[in-house]
Amino acid sequence: INAAYQDGQEPPHRVLQIAARVAGLALVPFVLIAAYSLWLRIDQHGLTPERVAGAGTIAVALCYTAGYAVSALWPGRWYKPLEFTNFVSALLAFALLVAILTPFGDPARLSVADQIRRLRAGLVTPEAFDYQFLRFHAVRYGTEALQALARDKNSPRAQAIAERAQNMLDKGTMDTVLPQQQIPTKD
């Protein structure tokens, strides 16, 4: 689309114009399907650092897609809103990249907060909760959350969670939790 638009001074051949307009509209269902599928996964299992990154990627894709779809339907000068769309989308991408480098937008922190919220809300049982994620994949935020869970013994449910959290804190390395898999050799 950008290659067909170039500097926008003169419209390209009619075939390229049609192809760019179709492409601008064709992005909409793909990005909406991606957003919906990510939302379903987060709703089912909560946030992980990968899902936070995916949400940021989809936010930028939605920005581009909305602008490209508007540009495809824009009357008057051919694809003129594309310039504004590219600028705003690039600023959004930059802002999200900066945000994930701060404690406020750190994917690990956001994931831990969401997983703990789901546990406390009863959306996941203490037996099914992924303590290993907190211990080995959520850096200091996960360790701090496990320590807080291990200290909370206010109810029978909290005691069950505290016991599991303490057991995970007592694990030395990931190898003690997940032993090396034996790879079968060919005879």
Side-chain angles (χ1 to χ4, degrees):
I1 295 169
N2 283 296
Y5 183 75
Q6 295 188 10
D7 65 0
Q9 294 304 314
E10 34 183 280
H13 188 273
R14 187 78 178 139
V15 172
L16 279 178
Q17 286 185 42
I18 293 169
R21 289 184 192 278
V22 168
L25 295 172
L27 292 171
V28 174
F30 291 114
V31 174
L32 290 178
I33 289 169
Y36 181 64
S37 64
L38 180 64
W39 176 80
L40 285 176
R41 195 69 178 166
I42 290 171
D43 187 53
Q44 291 170 339
H45 302 287
L47 286 175
T48 62
E50 293 80 10
R51 291 182 193 132
V52 172
T57 302
I58 288 174
V60 172
L62 283 167
C63 188
Y64 273 112
T65 299
Y68 281 35
V70 167
S71 296
L73 300 172
W74 195 260
R77 189 163 164 220
W78 185 76
Y79 249 94
K80 181 62 178 165
L82 187 68
E83 296 169 13
F84 182 73
T85 295
N86 286 338
F87 178 73
V88 169
S89 299
L91 286 179
L92 175 63
F94 177 73
L96 289 173
L97 286 172
V98 169
I100 66 170
L101 297 175
T102 68
F104 173 75
D106 187 307
R109 187 192 69 76
L110 295 172
S111 300
V112 168
D114 185 60
Q115 293 296 332
I116 296 299
R117 177 195 62 81
R118 291 172 52 80
L119 178 65
R120 293 200 190 280
L123 298 173
V124 62
T125 64
E127 298 79 24
F129 186 72
D130 191 0
Y131 301 92
Q132 185 174 312
F133 165 74
L134 295 180
R135 176 72 169 92
F136 298 111
H137 300 289
V139 293
R140 71 179 176 95
Y141 303 108
T143 303
E144 290 169 0
L146 278 174
Q147 291 167 345
L149 290 173
R151 286 189 302 268
D152 182 13
K153 298 178 181 169
N154 293 330
S155 68
R157 185 174 190 275
Q159 290 172 0
I161 292 170
E163 182 181 336
R164 286 178 169 79
Q166 188 60 54
N167 287 342
M168 189 53 66
L169 284 168
D170 293 340
K171 303 290 182 187
T173 65
M174 193 172 206
D175 290 338
T176 60
V177 177
L178 292 174
Q180 294 293 325
Q181 293 180 345
Q182 296 295 323
I183 301 172
T185 57
K186 293 184 179 182
D187 293 326

